Amino acid sequence: MQDERYAFRGKKHLILPILFLLPQLVITVVFFFYPAGEALLGSVYMEDSFGLSREFVGLDNFVVLFSDPGYLETLYLTFIFSIATITLTMGVSLLMAVVADQVHTGGTLYKSMLIIPYAVAPPLAGVLWLFLFNPSVGVLSTFLDGLGYTWNHKLNGNQALLLLIISASWKQISYNFLFFLAGLQAIPRSLIEAAAIDGASPWQRFRNIIFPLLSPTTFFLLVVNTIYTLFETFGIVHAVTQGGPSRATETLIYKVFNDGFIGLDFGGSSAQSVVLMFIVMILTFLQFRYIERKVNY
Amino acid sequence: MVEKKGLGRALSHAVLLFGAAIVLFPLYVALVATSHSYDVLIGSTPLWFGGELIKNFTTVLTQGLKAAGGIPVWVMMSNSLIMALGIALGKIAISITAAYAIVYFRFPGRELCFVLIFITLMMPVEVRIVPTFQVAANLNFIDSYAGLILPLIASATATFLYRQMFMTIPQELLEAARIDGAGPWRFFVDVVLPLSRTNTAALFVVLFIYGWNQYLWPLLVTNQESMYTVVMGIQRMVNIPDAVPEWNLIMAVALLGMLPPLLVVLGMQKLFVRGLVETEK
């Protein structure tokens, strides 16, 4: 269908498209394909600790990786972190969007406030919450102390993970809110009004009409949020807990960084990168399926 | 209309106010902490303002935090600004041209170029950090603006957006332009660029925030403190070994670090929302 478009063709029109494409192609090859290829290669080699020689080891790095209880723990931990963050942020955002969609006075003001976290970089969001939960001076930890609950995320791994989940969810509320709101506003009012006339309660209207019609948005956000919790939250982990206490908050992406740059285990880190690329490929595929499906709606 | 009245409406506002409170509370406490001196913040954080707000902001901007190297935060902020502008403008420049070539030309290898670019669509730099870092090191990119900017402009999202947009430009425009004797360059400059102005502005807003908020890459590619960006520099202030963090100053830095993207988001809200919703969909 594309090739039937009217376009510049022939030898006369060869230089300009090449010049136009070149910058993006060069950058993509140098900073994407080459490093991705290196990661793939590195994942099947074992390098000595001085980086002087490498030996082909096939899938050994992957075997080592998946039989390492530490890596499996990291997988499990990342899974918990992702599910909790996605549930929390999507739940709050959906509630806010559904309510904001119905409010007529002050809607713009609420919207302006709710999009603020989008501007805040993940590590900065982490630092803000780190301060609130700081065991000695934090406002919220002091409050919890007053209730008889001791908060110290520097010693308690579960509390550290919870701190990351709260920070990561807070930061992502804006994004989800905006997309849910856009999705809600695209639902024809007449449908909801018809249901109301037929006597459907607000909950029934939400459950049977709004939520199903919102499902493309929900699915899209699910994929985007997964990518967010897997990768973009690196800054939160690094700035707030640095994987601690005793690796209780070491997520997949933090482990790639830690093993590659601190532990200098290039083969192991490459194998981990390849696993991550594989995950992203699956998510991209799902996303494309979504885009295709949306066209048919 | 399905209108809420009385109790229902009050409940709606209560829910939204609660949401706004969750969003604003950390920022409020950060601002309050910035307004106090170091001594006040030992033991607990007050919930009302002190009188040191201007002083603390001035201190971090001009002197930075002594315990964390003492690089003035204005230096970090100008690094962030250069990086954010470079990433935003760079991405737009390479994307709009690449999309134009793909949509308006037919040449051998076009499909291949298309596939090569779009395969990178969702691949964040985080996934391939170790080898990408080695490439940057081999190119002498460490501690340079090129190193901060170039590896991050390799993404297909903007190209994809421009491609989608160009496909909606009526064919008749190109036919008319060619009858009037316009070549591909003329058509690009006089028709395509002006038509994409709004999209470009919306995209710029989103990409500026994306660039400003980068963390992992600046962390790897900068060693000298004078090249730190503010978003990544703050981590050094929080995690000082054997020292109590100076929270009043750290919160000042956090607030300064989010100020430019915040101004962009709130000042250009319409454009921002449009850019966000359209780049992703």
Side-chain angles (χ1 to χ4, degrees), chain A residues 116-169:
Chain A
I116 286 175
Y118 185 84
V120 183
L124 294 184
V127 169
L128 290 179
W129 285 96
L130 176 68
F131 178 55
L132 289 173
F133 279 107
N134 182 282
S136 47
V137 301
V139 173
L140 293 178
S141 53
T142 312
F143 175 73
L144 288 173
D145 234 18
L147 296 177
Y149 182 80
T150 313
W151 179 278
N152 193 343
H153 61 262
K154 287 178 183 163
L155 300 174
N156 186 322
N158 288 334
Q159 289 178 350
L161 192 61
L162 189 60
L163 176 58
L164 295 184
I165 291 169
I166 293 173
S167 317
S169 309

Side-chain angles (χ1 to χ4, degrees), chain B residues 157-186:
Chain B
T157 31
T159 316
F160 196 63
L161 175 77
Y162 278 120
R163 175 182 170 268
Q164 302 296 85
M165 197 225 121
F166 291 166
M167 307 271 270
T168 65
I169 296 179
Q171 289 278 287
E172 291 76 13
L173 272 179
L174 178 59
E175 285 165 35
R178 289 194 80 173
I179 290 167
D180 287 348
W185 174 255
R186 213 7 0 137

Side-chain angles (χ1 to χ4, degrees), chain A residues 41-92:
Chain A
L41 268 182
S43 70
V44 293
Y45 280 95
M46 181 85 85
E47 202 166 292
D48 70 51
S49 27
F50 302 104
L52 296 174
S53 66
R54 44 164 46 179
E55 184 196 344
F56 183 77
V57 292
L59 295 177
D60 275 9
N61 284 326
F62 292 97
V63 174
V64 170
L65 194 62
F66 281 102
S67 52
D68 171 16
Y71 189 69
L72 298 179
E73 259 168 50
T74 297
L75 265 177
Y76 175 70
L77 181 85
T78 310
F79 183 71
I80 300 287
F81 170 71
S82 292
I83 297 281
T85 306
I86 292 171
T87 313
L88 188 59
T89 199
M90 284 182 86
V92 173

Side-chain angles (χ1 to χ4, degrees), chain A residues 142-265:
Chain A
T142 312
F143 175 73
L144 288 173
D145 234 18
L147 296 177
Y149 182 80
T150 313
W151 179 278
N152 193 343
H153 61 262
K154 287 178 183 163
L155 300 174
N156 186 322
N158 288 334
Q159 289 178 350
L161 192 61
L162 189 60
L163 176 58
L164 295 184
I165 291 169
I166 293 173
S167 317
S169 309
W170 181 81
K171 150 80 203 163
Q172 197 68 349
I173 284 179
S174 312
Y175 191 94
N176 285 275
F177 171 76
L178 283 174
F179 275 88
F180 273 135
L181 193 61
L184 286 166
Q185 284 167 347
I187 296 176
R189 289 281 135 180
S190 52
L191 272 178
I192 299 165
E193 278 161 32
I197 292 167
D198 286 347
S201 71
W203 169 249
Q204 283 173 325
R205 294 200 295 264
F206 177 77
R207 176 75 192 77
N208 297 321
I209 298 170
I210 297 174
F211 195 69
L213 285 174
L214 210 55
S215 63
T217 309
T218 310
F219 179 71
F220 164 79
L221 285 173
L222 218 52
V223 176
V224 171
N225 288 331
T226 309
I227 299 248
Y228 165 78
T229 56
L230 287 181
F231 305 113
E232 286 161 54
T233 51
F234 170 84
I236 300 183
V237 182
H238 187 259
V240 174
T241 64
Q242 291 168 320
S246 58
R247 303 185 46 234
T249 54
E250 194 181 61
T251 58
L252 284 174
I253 184 70
Y254 191 81
K255 193 169 161 60
V256 173
F257 164 82
N258 209 31
D259 291 357
F261 286 96
I262 316 288
L264 296 174
D265 169 17

Side-chain angles (χ1 to χ4, degrees), chain B residues 121-200:
Chain B
L121 197 58
M122 283 167 71
M123 201 64 88
V125 71
E126 281 84 355
V127 180
R128 51 195 153 86
I129 38 171
V130 181
T132 310
F133 174 76
Q134 287 169 339
V135 172
N138 291 338
L139 289 170
N140 265 331
F141 270 6
I142 308 300
D143 286 325
S144 74
Y145 289 116
L148 279 172
I149 294 165
L150 287 180
L152 292 173
I153 62 179
S155 136
T157 31
T159 316
F160 196 63
L161 175 77
Y162 278 120
R163 175 182 170 268
Q164 302 296 85
M165 197 225 121
F166 291 166
M167 307 271 270
T168 65
I169 296 179
Q171 289 278 287
E172 291 76 13
L173 272 179
L174 178 59
E175 285 165 35
R178 289 194 80 173
I179 290 167
D180 287 348
W185 174 255
R186 213 7 0 137
F187 183 69
F188 179 65
V189 173
D190 287 346
V191 179
V192 171
L193 282 187
L195 278 177
S196 20
R197 202 182 301 150
T198 324
N199 281 59
T200 303

